[in-house]
C-alpha cells in the first residue's frame, strides 16, 4: 500500500466566476405566485446570478480555473488533471472538463466530469486528494460549475426560486510532507444513498426513455424536488458528516477557523450549526447573493473567504455538502 504520509495536497490557488446578470426575488414576483418575503424567510435567498446566453458551465469553469491557475502561479501546460463537478454539463458528452481543457489550453492534462450534484465538489476533492497524496499527479484543477437556470422549471415556484449559476475552482498541488501538521487536505469523507434518488432529480431519462416530446411537455428535463423530505435528510447528514470529520481529525469546533457549507437553504445551515454548537460567525454564508449553485457553491465560498481574509495561513477549514443522489460529504483543509 502507498504511504499516504509522503505527500500533502495543498490549495495553491482559488478562483470564481459569477455571471453579471442578477435576478432578484422582486423580479420573480412578477412571473410567479411568490414573494420576496417568503423566499427570504424560508431560504435566505435574496438574489441569484443567471448566465448570459453565450455562457455555459464550461465557459464559467474556464474563467474560474484561469484565476486559480494565476493565483497559484501555474501555467496551463503544467496541469495534470482537470476535474469538473457539474450536473448541468454543456452537452451529454464529451465531458465539460474536455471543453475546459481546450479553453485553458491545458493539453497535458487528463480531463473528466464527476456527477454528484451539490456534493460534487467534495467528491472531486476526495479524488484529487488520492492522486496527489499517492504522488501520481502534481497539479490538479478542480472546478464546480453550474448553469442551473437552464435546468429549472421557471413555472415551478417550489424549485426555481432556489437555484443560481456560477463556478468556483481550486488549484491543488502535491508537496512533500514535512511534518504531520503540514498544510493541505487533512481528510475527505463521502457517502451516497441511492434509495433516495428521487428526492431531488431530473427524471427525464435520456438513456432510459430517449429524448421524447412528452417528457418535454411534462418538464421532466427539469429539476424536481421533494423539499421537506430533502430538508430533513440534508440537516441530518450534514451534521453527521461534519461531526465525523471533526472526530477523525481530533479537532473541536473551537479549532475550526471557518465552516464552508453547501448553500442550499440558510435554515438548513442554521439548524446544523445549532446541533453542532457551531457559532454562526464562523460559518460562510453567501446564499443571499447567489442562491444554490450546486457543485459550485463550496469553491465560490472558499474563494470569497480567501479574498475577504476569512481564511488565514495555519487555520483549519471544514467543508460540507448534501446533494441529489442522495450524496453527502465533508472535507477538512489546513491552510
Ligand atoms: O442542494 C440540494 C439540497 N437541497 C435542499 O436541501 C433543499 C431543501 N428544501 C428546502 O430548502 C425547503 O424545503 C424549500 C425552500 C424548498 C421549501 O420550504 P418549506 O419551508 O419546506 O416549504 P414547503 O415546501 O413546506 O411549503 C410551505 C408552503 C406551501 O403552501 P401550502 O401547500 O402549505 O399551502 C407551498 O406551496 O409554502 C408554499 N410555497 C411557496 N410560497 C411562496 C412553496 N414555494 C413557495 C414560493 N413562494 N416560492
Amino acid at each position: 500500500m502507498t504511504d499516504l504520509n509522503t505527500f500533502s495536497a495543498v490549495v495553491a490557488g482559488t478562483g470564481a466566476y459569477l455571471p453579471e446578470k442578477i435576478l432578484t426575488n422582486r423580479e420573480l414576483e412578477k412571473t410567479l405566485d411568490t414573494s420576496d418575503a417568503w423566499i427570504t424567510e424560508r431560504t435566505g435567498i435574496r438574489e441569484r446570478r443567471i448566465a448570459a446566453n453565450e455562457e455555459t458551465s464550461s465557459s464559467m469553469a474556464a474563467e474560474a480555473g484561469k484565476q486559480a491557475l494565476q493565483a497559484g502561479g501555474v501555467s496551463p501546460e503544467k496541469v495534470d488533471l482537470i476535474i469538473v463537478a457539474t450536473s448541468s454539463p454543456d452537452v451529454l458528452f464529451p465531458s465539460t472538463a474536455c471543453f475546459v481543457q481546450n479553453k485553458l489550453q491545458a493539453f497535458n492534462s487528463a480531463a473528466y466530469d464527476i456527477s454528484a450534484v451539490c456534493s460534487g465538489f467534495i467528491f472531486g476533492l476526495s479524488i484529487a486528494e488520492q492522486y496527489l497524496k499517492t504522488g501520481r499527479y502534481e497539479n490538479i484543477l478542480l472546478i464546480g460549475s453550474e448553469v442551473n437556470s437552464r435546468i429549472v422549471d421557471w413555472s415551478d415556484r417550489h424549485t426555481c426560486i432556489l437555484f443560481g449559476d456560477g463556478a468556483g475552482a481550486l488549484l491543488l498541488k502535491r508537496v512533500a510532507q514535512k511534518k504531520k501538521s503540514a498544510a493541505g487536505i487533512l481528510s475527505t469523507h463521502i457517502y451516497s444513498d441511492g434509495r433516495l434518488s428521487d428526492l431531488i432529480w431530473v427524471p427525464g431519462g435520456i438513456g432510459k426513455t430517449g429524448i421524447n416530446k412528452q417528457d418535454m411537455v411534462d418538464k421532466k428535463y427539469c429539476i424536481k424536488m421533494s423539499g421537506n423530505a430533502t430538508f430533513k435528510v440534508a440537516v441530518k447528514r450534514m451534521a453527521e458528516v461534519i461531526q465525523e470529520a471533526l472526530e477523525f481529525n481530533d479537532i473541536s469546533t473551537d479549532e475550526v477557523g471557518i465552516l464552508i457549507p453547501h448553500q442550499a437553504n440558510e435554515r438548513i445551515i442554521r439548524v446544523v450549526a445549532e446541533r453542532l454548537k457551531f457559532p454562526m460567525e464562523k460559518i460562510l454564508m453567501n446564499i443571499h447573493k447567489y442562491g444554490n449553485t450546486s457543485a459550485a457553491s463550496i469553491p465560490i465560498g472558499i474563494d470569497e473567504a480567501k479574498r475577504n481574509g476569512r481564511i488565514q495561513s495555519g487555520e483549519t477549514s471544514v467543508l460540507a455538502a448534501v446533494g441529489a443522489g442522495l450524496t453527502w460529504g465533508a472535507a477538512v483543509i489546513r491552510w
Side-chain angles (χ1 to χ4, degrees):
M1 201 171 136
T2 314
D3 179 8
L4 293 183
N5 293 320
T6 309
F7 298 108
S8 297
V10 302
V11 179
T14 68
Y17 179 83
L18 278 314
E20 253 177 54
K21 184 178 158 47
I22 295 173
L23 178 63
T24 63
N25 293 347
R26 288 257 181 247
E27 284 168 278
L28 282 171
E29 284 178 353
K30 294 179 195 156
T31 52
L32 272 180
D33 179 14
T34 190
S35 66
D36 175 42
W38 192 95
I39 301 172
T40 306
E41 192 185 307
R42 306 306 294 165
T43 72
I45 301 165
R46 290 180 182 275
E47 58 189 43
R48 67 287 292 141
R49 299 299 178 98
I50 304 293
N53 287 343
E54 68 280 8
E55 288 177 321
T56 63
S57 282
S58 76
S59 73
M60 296 191 296
E63 287 304 320
K66 205 184 291 173
Q67 284 177 24
L69 289 178
Q70 277 165 2
V74 167
S75 56
E77 66 273 14
K78 291 272 167 57
V79 176
D80 302 305
L81 177 65
I82 298 172
I83 305 173
V84 175
T86 186
S87 42
S88 45
D90 289 13
V91 292
L92 191 57
F93 67 82
S95 69
T96 298
C98 282
F99 294 126
V100 173
Q101 187 216 46
N102 193 24
K103 290 185 164 92
L104 293 176
Q105 307 209 320
F107 298 121
N108 294 320
S109 62
Y112 58 80
D113 291 357
I114 56 161
S115 168
V117 200
C118 299
S119 310
F121 196 81
I122 302 280
F123 276 55
L125 205 60
S126 79
I127 296 169
E129 178 191 20
Q130 313 309 315
Y131 280 125
L132 296 167
K133 287 188 175 173
T134 55
R136 178 74 176 84
Y137 288 134
E138 188 176 353
N139 292 305
I140 297 181
L141 194 53
L142 172 62
I143 309 173
S145 188
E146 305 281 8
V147 275
N148 286 319
S149 62
R150 304 230 167 98
I151 58 166
V152 294
D153 172 358
W154 285 102
S155 65
D156 176 12
R157 68 176 183 170
H158 294 95
T159 52
C160 75
I161 55 130
L162 298 170
F163 294 95
D165 301 337
L170 295 191
L171 172 67
L172 295 150
K173 207 173 179 46
R174 179 189 74 204
V175 295
Q177 194 185 64
K178 295 198 181 76
K179 50 181 183 339
K180 199 92 189 80
S181 61
I185 301 173
L186 300 189
S187 67
T188 52
H189 311 258
I190 56 169
Y191 295 96
S192 305
D193 185 349
R195 288 169 296 189
L196 302 177
S197 53
D198 60 357
L199 274 190
I200 324 171
W201 66 327
V202 175
I206 289 171
K208 199 167 67 175
T209 54
I211 296 165
N212 65 81
K213 238 187 201 159
Q214 195 53 49
D215 279 359
M216 300 249 181
V217 172
D218 297 340
K219 306 248 174 77
K220 284 194 175 167
Y221 299 113
C222 297
I223 299 172
K224 310 278 178 204
M225 179 169 70
S226 306
N228 272 303
T230 306
F231 189 102
K232 284 181 197 143
V233 75
V235 167
K236 179 176 181 316
R237 292 308 193 187
M238 197 182 270
E240 250 172 39
V241 78
I242 293 171
Q243 187 70 45
E244 177 188 322
L246 293 173
E247 281 170 15
F248 182 87
N249 292 288
D250 198 20
I251 50 176
S252 67
T253 49
D254 292 346
E255 293 167 278
V256 175
I258 191 165
L259 168 65
I260 303 181
H262 168 53
Q263 311 279 308
N265 186 320
E266 185 181 319
R267 288 188 297 131
I268 293 178
I269 298 170
R270 287 191 181 277
V271 179
V272 169
E274 212 170 280
R275 281 198 188 175
L276 297 175
K277 305 201 180 347
F278 223 107
M280 284 306 293
E281 318 81 76
K282 286 216 273 185
I283 300 181
L284 183 119
M285 197 78 88
N286 61 14
I287 192 167
H288 56 289
K289 294 187 286 187
Y290 307 134
N292 180 346
T293 56
S294 304
S297 88
I298 289 181
I300 289 171
I302 295 173
D303 183 66
E304 184 173 314
K306 279 289 276 177
R307 276 187 291 106
N308 294 346
R310 291 188 71 185
I311 292 177
Q312 298 294 334
S313 181
E315 283 184 359
T316 304
S317 304
V318 176
L319 320 174
V322 176
L326 196 82
T327 54
W328 64 101
V332 182
I333 297 181
R334 182 158 301 138
W335 300 88

